[in-house]
Amino acid sequence: MELPGRIQGKLEMKTKNNSLGEIAGELKKAKRVVIFPHMNVDGDAMGTASSICLGLRSLGIDSYVYLDESIPNNLDFLEAGCCTGDPDIVNGDTTVLMVDCSSVSRIGRRKDVFLRGGRSICIDHHSTGEGDTTFDMEHIEPDSAACSELAYLLLMELGVTLDLAMANSLFAGISTDSGNFQYSNTTARTHLIAAKLFDVPGFDPKAVSSLVYERNSFSSMKMSSLVVERARFMCGGKLVYGEITMDDLERTGAQMNETDGIIQRLMSIDGVETAVIFKENGPDLVKVSMRARSWLNVGDVAQRLGGGGHVRAAGCSLKMGLDQAEPVVLDELKKQMEIDSQEKF
Ligand SMILES: [Mn+2]
């Protein structure tokens, strides 16, 4: 059955888009490159940042990843000796490179450091940027499953010979953002790039997967079970939602940055088209993650609520309590389900 959501989900490409070749040319001229992944770093943001950093260093270009937060435990190897927390790393001669996001609002308190840089470049695969930040050069490709795919293509444009650390970063980025090659964003190119990594001596995807997926803390497993146990359904079982409160984190001992995978468990329930997780981030702040399986445009829902993301994976933050946030989001989702499926729920 072909549903209209598919067509609506097709996103317009940005008009101003530099090629990765042009960006490679610019990076080669840089005295120093400092890379800014989005806050609450995930596998793709870190994989993109460290692979590009290592690639530039292999060409003799002074490069760093600037972070002001710790990397989640299972992604620690993506640090790869690249990260610095020193804001003085950026001066007016520095080329600043934003990756896996395209707005200063996504880099938190590092914004001032980014804006201090000289030339600014952005490489991203999100379609719904806030549009509040201009860059000297940008390459935004919403059809790319992972920003790490773009990182691979950039490294090829730069003429970098991939080493094991770069391959590990790229694979971690591609595999996490494509949901282990299962999400609808996965393309032939996603697989072809992953296949190319096998040419790198010593590359072992199982070893990378073990690091990323087989180092859960027991407390995060308890947190996950709690969310599943309390999950609630709407729209005839097509919508499932769950919540994570500050109290839950305290009770289970889990960290908020360990809860990212829980939504996938809800998504894997038979008959579910969309899953939502509400994360209480303070007394009046709720972070909302949304996923869709095949036809619902959650990107549009997130955008209406002041957030963004992709067609089938998006999120937003709401400055209100959990009790207020839930009906607001669920109502918007229900509306979108009716638009995209032309059914009444
Ligand atoms: Mn990404």
Side-chain angles (χ1 to χ4, degrees):
M1 179 171 49
E2 194 59 39
L3 290 156
R6 285 234 150 126
I7 302 145
Q8 286 175 7
K10 196 86 195 141
L11 289 141
E12 293 163 36
M13 282 288 283
K14 281 225 181 181
T15 42
K16 176 201 156 192
N17 227 0
N18 296 101
S19 71
L20 289 168
E22 287 172 317
I23 290 176
E26 187 67 26
L27 289 171
K28 276 187 172 168
K29 288 188 274 174
K31 282 191 188 145
R32 175 183 287 166
V33 178
V34 175
I35 306 167
F36 290 70
H38 58 72
M39 58 189 168
N40 305 317
V41 280
D42 58 13
D44 187 35
M46 255 338 280
T48 300
S50 59
S51 61
I52 294 175
C53 179
L54 294 170
L56 290 171
R57 283 184 184 176
S58 77
L59 301 174
I61 301 162
D62 190 31
S63 305
Y64 299 90
V65 176
Y66 177 53
L67 270 192
D68 65 351
E69 59 178 293
S70 55
I71 299 173
N73 176 55
N74 66 322
L75 302 175
D76 54 4
F77 64 103
L78 299 177
E79 198 277 338
C82 292
C83 296
T84 175
D86 178 8
D88 294 331
I89 202 78
V90 175
N91 60 43
D93 278 340
T94 308
T95 297
V96 286
L97 171 62
M98 190 179 286
V99 295
D100 203 22
C101 63
S102 58
S103 159
V104 286
S105 68
R106 297 280 290 118
I107 59 171
R109 287 163 309 197
R110 291 170 297 159
K111 173 184 173 180
D112 296 338
V113 180
F114 184 86
L115 295 174
R116 213 198 292 150
R119 298 283 286 167
S120 65
I121 305 176
C122 174
I123 298 175
D124 188 21
H125 71 132
H126 292 85
S127 51
T128 49
E130 280 81 352
D132 60 356
T133 309
T134 50
F135 303 93
D136 294 317
M137 296 181 101
E138 64 181 17
H139 180 88
I140 297 173
E141 212 177 295
D143 289 336
S144 188
C147 201
S148 297
E149 282 188 32
L150 305 176
Y152 170 85
L153 298 171
L154 176 72
L155 293 172
M156 293 305 103
E157 292 288 349
L158 284 162
V160 167
T161 304
L162 296 183
D163 67 14
L164 185 56
M166 294 176 215
N168 288 346
S169 290
L170 292 169
F171 188 77
I174 291 169
S175 89
T176 51
D177 253 34
S178 67
N180 274 320
F181 308 93
Q182 288 174 30
Y183 296 166
S184 54
N185 60 9
T186 306
T187 63
R189 190 180 79 178
T190 315
H191 286 283
L192 286 168
I193 292 174
K196 282 282 178 200
L197 303 177
F198 285 77
D199 294 340
V200 176
F203 177 65
D204 178 0
K206 172 59 197 168
V208 180
S209 297
S210 283
L211 291 172
V212 176
Y213 301 109
E214 298 176 345
R215 290 194 294 162
N216 294 317
S217 69
F218 186 49
S219 18
S220 75
M221 301 296 288
K222 283 193 278 191
M223 185 70 246
S224 172
S225 300
L226 198 60
V227 175
V228 172
E229 202 174 286
R230 290 191 310 218
R232 276 173 283 173
F233 294 84
M234 279 173 57
C235 304
K238 288 189 171 66
L239 187 164
V240 58
Y241 66 101
E243 57 183 34
I244 297 171
T245 67
M246 312 268 272
D247 185 54
D248 293 334
L249 292 174
E250 201 163 331
R251 270 201 296 156
T252 58
Q255 304 289 317
M256 194 59 104
N257 69 13
E258 296 178 308
T259 61
D260 288 355
I262 299 178
I263 196 161
Q264 272 320 115
R265 290 191 69 192
L266 298 181
M267 277 306 291
S268 69
I269 299 167
D270 188 20
V272 163
E273 168 58 27
T274 181
V276 195
I277 297 224
F278 297 92
K279 299 179 178 182
E280 190 183 44
N281 253 41
D284 280 306
L285 182 63
V286 177
K287 294 190 77 177
V288 185
S289 300
M290 294 177 267
R291 297 286 182 277
R293 184 176 289 168
S294 55
W295 52 264
L296 184 70
N297 189 336
V298 291
D300 275 0
V301 175
Q303 213 165 11
R304 287 205 294 275
L305 295 168
H310 308 278
V311 184
R312 311 278 181 246
C316 60
S317 293
L318 298 174
K319 289 190 175 111
M320 52 181 87
L322 259 185
D323 290 354
Q324 293 154 286
E326 290 188 5
V328 170
V329 175
L330 295 172
D331 199 50
E332 283 300 326
L333 272 165
K334 190 166 162 257
K335 267 191 236 163
Q336 192 68 38
M337 295 202 43
E338 290 177 352
I339 294 169
D340 289 345
S341 72
Q342 289 168 345
E343 265 180 71
K344 204 89 190 115
F345 290 104

